[in-house]
Amino acid sequence: MKILAVLKMVPDVVEELEIGEDGKSLDLEFLRLIVNERDEHALEEALLLKEQHGGTVTAVALDAPDIDDVLFTALAKGADRAVKITDAGESLSTRAAAALLAKALPAVPDLMPVDLVLLGCSATDDLDGQSAAVLAHALGLPYVGVVSQVQADAGRLRVMKEFPGGVLGEFETTVLAVIGVQAAEKPPRYVPVAKVRAAMKSGGIDEVAADGPADVAPLEVLQMTKPEASGQAEMLEGSPEELAAKVGELLTERGML
Amino acid sequence: MPGNVWVVAEHWRGQVSEITYELLALGRELADGLGVRLDAVLLGHQAKDLAQTLAADTVLYGDDPALAEPTAEAHSKALAALVSERQPAAVLLPLSNVTGDVAGLLPAELDAPLVTSCRDVRVTDGRLEAVCLLYGGKMDATVAAGAGAALLGVLPGVRSADKGRADAAPQIEDVAVSVPAERRVQFGKYVEPEAGDVDITQQEVLIAVGRGIANEDNVELAQELATALGGAVCGSRPVIDQGWLSMSRQVGKSGAIVKPKVYIAAGISGAPEHVEGMKASDLIIAINTDADAPIFNVAHYGIVDDCLDVLPAVLDAVAARKG
Ligand SMILES: Cc1cc2nc3c(=O)[nH]c(=O)nc-3n(C[C@H](O)[C@H](O)[C@H](O)COP(=O)(O)OP(=O)(O)OC[C@H]3O[C@@H](n4cnc5c(N)ncnc54)[C@H](O)[C@@H]3O)c2cc1C
Ligand SMILES: Nc1ncnc2c1ncn2[C@@H]1O[C@H](COP(=O)(O)O)[C@@H](O)[C@H]1O
């Protein structure tokens, strides 16, 4: 199978986030970017499918800070090729990025057609849409999102999609579909830094310039603010022992002790 | 004359979803604010009876065998045709695992943006404004809905469901739906989750661990505390994905909705997909090293500290109290 896995960088939400001077976006200066967690799962699923069925995995990303490291890591993990789409413009919205990818992918030399396009579903910075769905539509391909298992067999794909309460729904489609991955069957593999370095030395990243910006207007953001606490947590302070004593009191009050 | 406010009425396995009523409650406010009517759009197969409980002025009911299950392509194409024909002012779409893909594809069909992750929507000066929860719950972006039908993906819990339930049967209008002849994606079957050793929805005490618990061995800290309190351990998604806890222990959008008397969240950031599964707990105590973690917005008590230090201390305190 020929599989594409699309990767993007998102703000690391475990870090402190600051609002920029415009009051409408994040302050980019100290922003730490990490690869979207769901995309790591999409790549993992692609590699697992390749291990089962043979074929190739190409990791694709729009240019972004630190994206080279991410693409080299993908190569080190077992991707056969890494493609970076350059000149895409900065801070693209989700919808603009999907539109741009839909235009750029067919123009990458020796890439299309593929059998399967995997993307992570739902990134924490999505504001104007879901890329995987928009990309599927733009490429004219079937789409299933929030998927946690992908099986391929004789030109058919069987995917398990997550429903509430741990229920899975089985859906079938042809190969040549876009799948929004929620989780791979296994946790994304770990790759030692030495292997990433080796990938940097041996393999290159194919850079392909995007053919003009995507013609997609962003949403009008009026302001960005930190959410106000709805429950107003009472903050407990002290040493772990003092904190534990307070928790013990709370548990006793609630009749749990 | 602006169009009506629409709510896409989600139903799954023969039942109207809770989020449908929540969106109807919100939809009513918006319709009143804009001075228009509120319509629910119910698409399905032999599902007309479900219209009875929907608190809308009119339920637009479309029936087709292809709409029996939540196959996103059929539903989004049918909806897109209706939206193009009737030009509603706004379409509220449930951001759930059932309708999420429709929320993804409908905007593509209409070549319009989806204003996604709305945790609130309001009418300001006759215009719709949405408050969208971004970055795992750390930021709110207030967004102005543009011209044309505003497509709004709304998070669970936006309003109380009670106000979206009808006292009297609404007016029902049968609408013709157009679904593609070819079904590119076919629904097969549902697979029930494997029953776990414990049912976390039935516990009075839950000790929940997230990525902050750092490794599988540390989950034992939470397990010991849970055992001491006669409760159970549960977790957020990354802990389940890593295989440190079984799927039956997941709390949130794709897992269980729990409402214990006590929920201790250790090393959980409080992403909206997790919070929707535990926010109704009677007492929530959150332990997180990040003072900005959104979990503190839903917790009743917060501790900014290392859960690897606090959990063992709590276990000692519990043991001491038990004597
Ligand atoms: C369609 C969909 C469905 C989803 N369904 C679910 C679901 O059902 N359930 C679910 O949970 N998630 C679900 N998610 C994922 C969700 O978006 C979050 O990614 C997830 O909840 C984050 O888990 P976490 O809080 O454990 O990890 P993180 O967000 O990585 O947070 C870890 C936290 O631990 C803190 N921490 C680190 N070290 C320590 C320490 N030593 N002591 C104390 N605190 C520490 C950090 O400050 C951080 O706040 C879903 C996502 C999608 C897109
Ligand atoms: N700027 C971008 N560069 C590369 N891939 C992207 C970009 N924007 C979106 N994607 C892909 O779409 C996924 C997000 O899907 P969703 O969050 O559902 O919109 C990402 O995780 C990527 O796989």
Side-chain angles (χ1 to χ4, degrees):
Chain A
M1 290 181 86
K2 221 174 146 188
I3 308 172
L4 272 189
V6 185
L7 302 159
K8 85 159 171 178
M9 306 300 282
V10 293
D12 183 352
V13 298
V14 172
E15 299 284 312
E16 190 177 343
L17 301 180
E18 290 297 335
I19 298 163
E21 269 174 22
D22 65 357
K24 298 176 182 183
S25 58
L26 287 187
D27 185 347
L28 300 177
E29 192 172 357
F30 300 107
L31 198 62
R32 205 172 89 94
L33 296 174
I34 54 168
V35 63
N36 179 21
E37 190 182 356
R38 309 275 151 236
D39 294 358
E40 290 202 84
H41 282 267
L43 175 64
E44 182 61 35
E45 192 66 49
L47 295 170
L48 291 172
L49 284 167
K50 175 185 151 183
E51 283 164 11
Q52 275 172 32
H53 302 282
T56 60
V57 172
T58 302
V60 182
L62 298 182
D63 200 359
D66 300 331
I67 199 71
D68 287 4
D69 288 346
V70 169
L71 288 173
F72 284 125
T73 305
L75 289 170
K77 284 182 173 182
D80 302 272
R81 185 180 175 195
V83 175
K84 177 166 82 175
I85 315 281
T86 61
D87 306 322
E90 272 169 44
S91 310
L92 288 182
S93 76
T94 301
R95 194 167 155 242
L100 199 125
L101 280 169
K103 236 168 67 170
L105 289 176
V108 175
D110 309 318
L111 184 63
M112 301 303 252
V114 294
D115 297 309
L116 181 59
V117 182
L118 299 178
L119 292 83
C121 66
S122 288
T124 58
D125 62 349
D126 282 352
L127 182 60
D128 68 349
Q130 301 174 8
S131 337
V134 176
L135 180 63
H137 188 268
L139 294 174
L141 299 179
Y143 170 67
V144 188
V146 198
V147 163
S148 58
Q149 287 175 34
V150 182
Q151 285 169 14
D153 184 25
R156 304 286 297 168
L157 277 182
R158 188 178 308 137
V159 301
M160 297 304 258
K161 174 175 167 56
E162 293 190 357
F163 281 88
V167 175
L168 295 174
E170 187 188 275
F171 288 82
E172 235 188 70
T173 182
T174 47
V175 289
L176 193 44
V178 177
I179 302 295
V181 174
Q182 172 67 19
E185 263 113 305
K186 288 186 193 162
R189 65 196 65 194
Y190 171 79
V191 60
V193 184
K195 266 186 119 174
V196 179
R197 285 217 194 89
M200 282 179 180
K201 280 195 193 120
S202 63
I205 295 174
D206 292 351
E207 295 194 11
V208 181
D211 173 23
D215 182 21
V216 172
L219 288 174
E220 186 190 349
V221 177
L222 303 172
Q223 60 168 354
M224 191 168 279
T225 48
K226 293 195 178 181
E228 266 172 45
S230 49
Q232 298 288 1
E234 181 180 322
M235 300 312 274
L236 305 178
E237 275 157 30
S239 67
E241 289 68 30
E242 288 161 345
L243 292 166
K246 286 179 194 162
V247 173
E249 267 171 46
L250 289 170
L251 292 170
T252 304
E253 265 171 35
R254 300 284 161 147
M256 293 299 129
L257 272 175
Chain B
M1 178 65 197
N4 292 346
V5 170
W6 284 12
V7 168
V8 173
E10 173 181 310
H11 56 100
W12 185 49
R13 305 182 97 181
Q15 289 200 333
V16 175
S17 309
E18 202 64 9
I19 192 170
T20 300
Y21 300 117
E22 296 169 0
L23 265 56
L24 284 167
L26 171 67
R28 174 60 68 196
E29 285 175 23
L30 302 179
D32 289 350
L34 293 172
V36 299
R37 290 163 59 89
L38 173 66
D39 298 333
V41 187
L42 178 67
L43 301 180
H45 184 48
Q46 296 170 348
K48 199 169 184 172
D49 284 353
L50 298 178
Q52 299 300 326
T53 57
L54 306 177
D57 295 317
T58 305
V59 178
L60 307 177
Y61 176 67
D63 193 299
D64 193 284
L67 300 170
E69 294 296 341
T71 41
E73 190 164 72
H75 279 261
S76 58
K77 285 210 192 289
L79 275 171
L82 286 171
V83 171
S84 303
E85 182 193 319
R86 300 186 178 220
Q87 299 291 329
V91 183
L92 307 184
L93 293 138
L95 284 185
S96 70
N97 276 1
V98 178
T99 311
D101 286 0
V102 179
L105 284 176
L106 175 67
E109 289 287 341
L110 294 167
D111 196 17
L114 172 73
V115 181
T116 195
S117 297
C118 300
R119 71 167 180 83
D120 198 12
V121 186
R122 56 194 177 222
V123 179
T124 307
D125 301 329
R127 278 181 38 157
L128 290 171
E129 261 176 36
V131 182
C132 306
L133 198 55
L134 297 185
Y135 308 117
K138 277 201 164 172
M139 288 287 169
D140 275 336
T142 305
V143 172
L151 307 176
L152 303 155
V154 183
L155 294 172
V158 69
R159 290 292 181 276
S160 148
D162 301 342
K163 289 190 184 148
R165 281 200 185 84
D167 306 324
Q171 187 188 331
I172 303 175
E173 180 188 337
D174 289 303
V175 294
V177 288
S178 56
V179 293
E182 183 202 7
R183 294 190 206 177
R184 298 192 298 180
V185 178
Q186 276 147 10
F187 171 76
K189 59 173 192 279
Y190 290 114
V191 179
E192 301 303 320
E194 265 174 50
D197 43 347
V198 289
D199 179 353
I200 57 171
T201 65
Q202 300 301 315
Q203 303 293 318
E204 292 200 330
V205 177
L206 286 174
I207 312 299
V209 292
R211 203 192 317 260
I213 201 75
N215 62 47
E216 185 166 15
D217 291 344
N218 291 336
V219 177
E220 191 55 33
L221 297 174
Q223 181 58 59
E224 282 171 30
L225 181 57
T227 306
L229 291 168
V233 175
C234 60
S236 65
R237 172 112 220 179
V239 171
I240 312 299
D241 283 352
Q242 286 297 324
W244 300 343
L245 286 173
S246 70
M247 183 66 200
S248 63
R249 305 276 182 140
Q250 179 168 317
V251 170
K253 192 178 215 80
S254 298
I257 309 291
V258 299
K259 200 176 170 297
K261 291 202 169 127
V262 177
Y263 191 90
I264 299 183
I268 293 180
S269 63
E273 294 85 1
H274 184 78
V275 168
E276 70 179 76
M278 48 63 78
K279 62 173 187 283
S281 306
D282 290 346
L283 174 68
I284 301 168
I285 304 172
I287 312 166
N288 196 306
T289 40
D290 175 7
D292 278 342
I295 192 74
F296 294 127
N297 297 342
V298 292
H300 303 100
Y301 292 91
I303 293 173
V304 181
D305 209 331
D306 190 332
C307 64
L308 302 179
D309 296 332
V310 176
L311 286 177
V314 173
L315 182 62
D316 289 345
V318 166
R321 275 183 184 259
K322 291 206 321 196

